[in-house]
Amino acid sequence: MTAIESKDSDLSTIPIQVLIVDDDEAHAQAVAESLERIGADCTVAGSGTRGATLIESENFDVIVTDLRMEDVDGLAILRKAKQELPEAEVILLTGHGSINSAVTAMQHGAYTYLTKPLDINELRTAVGKATTRIRLIRRNAELNRRLDEKFGFEGVVGTSPQMQKIIDI
């Protein structure tokens, strides 16, 4: 079992969709190859603009983005992701880490903040934990849907005052 699979979830056979946004394409490709080795399905965007476009048009579970980029920075990618894909977890990477930028990233909803040079095992762990969280949220939603389907009153037809009283109870 890979680091991003969960034996508890019916959804564990679905590969996690990861978007990597970094204007250093060699670094982005290396990150993608590393995450693909543990079962992720990775898409690489070589610029912030391209990353923002992909966030608008495709679904991703995890977004790994560099903080500093020429066109659209990582905080803008984070805000775009939270607007378009609220369930997605965003991991920010930076070679210029500071406490202020880390705090800002976390306040805007980043899952975590990692510094370069990147420790691949640390990134894999972060993606694995983010994946577990996403899958738990999805599993919970699916179980709630099944409970509503099995025990809910949505399928009951009845408009009489007595029937409405029973449904309300």
Side-chain angles (χ1 to χ4, degrees), residues 75-89:
L75 287 177
I77 294 295
L78 171 61
R79 286 189 294 272
K80 184 73 161 175
K82 290 301 172 184
Q83 176 186 347
E84 299 288 330
L85 304 169
E87 275 189 15
E89 295 295 357

Side-chain angles (χ1 to χ4, degrees), residues 21-23 45-55 65 69-74 76-77:
V21 184
D22 196 332
D23 55 3
S47 71
T49 301
R50 178 72 180 134
T53 301
L54 288 169
I55 289 169
T65 183
M69 293 181 283
E70 293 288 322
D71 53 354
V72 176
D73 71 5
I77 294 295

Side-chain angles (χ1 to χ4, degrees), residues 13 16 18-19 35 49-50 52 62 65 80 83 94 99 105 121 139:
T13 57
I16 201 76
V18 179
L19 173 63
L35 294 176
T49 301
R50 178 72 180 134
V62 177
T65 183
K80 184 73 161 175
Q83 176 186 347
T94 187
I99 292 172
N121 288 327
R139 182 162 175 84

Side-chain angles (χ1 to χ4, degrees), residues 2-153:
T2 67
I4 61 172
E5 290 178 338
S6 169
K7 65 182 178 185
D8 298 332
S9 173
D10 297 335
L11 304 171
S12 65
T13 57
I14 301 168
I16 201 76
Q17 300 297 315
V18 179
L19 173 63
I20 299 146
V21 184
D22 196 332
D23 55 3
D24 179 349
E25 289 195 54
H27 185 264
Q29 288 296 337
V31 168
E33 289 174 18
S34 172
L35 294 176
E36 286 169 347
R37 288 187 185 140
I38 61 167
D41 185 7
C42 296
T43 302
V44 173
S47 71
T49 301
R50 178 72 180 134
T53 301
L54 288 169
I55 289 169
E56 288 175 356
S57 63
E58 297 184 33
N59 285 322
F60 296 99
D61 303 302
V62 177
I63 298 164
V64 178
T65 183
D66 193 8
L67 183 61
R68 289 191 181 176
M69 293 181 283
E70 293 288 322
D71 53 354
V72 176
D73 71 5
L75 287 177
I77 294 295
L78 171 61
R79 286 189 294 272
K80 184 73 161 175
K82 290 301 172 184
Q83 176 186 347
E84 299 288 330
L85 304 169
E87 275 189 15
E89 295 295 357
V90 179
I91 298 171
L92 280 151
L93 310 176
T94 187
H96 312 281
S98 72
I99 292 172
N100 287 341
S101 61
V103 168
T104 301
M106 301 310 279
Q107 287 173 336
H108 283 89
Y111 181 73
T112 195
Y113 180 95
L114 303 174
T115 57
K116 294 179 182 178
L118 190 59
D119 178 337
I120 292 299
N121 288 327
E122 187 178 18
L123 176 64
R124 285 178 174 173
T125 299
V127 170
K129 287 179 179 178
T131 299
T132 298
R133 183 177 182 286
I134 291 164
R135 288 193 170 142
L136 285 171
I137 289 168
R138 288 181 182 159
R139 182 162 175 84
N140 186 33
E142 175 63 17
L143 290 172
N144 283 332
R145 185 194 64 76
R146 288 182 188 175
L147 282 171
D148 285 347
E149 190 176 278
K150 186 170 184 173
F151 298 110
F153 292 105

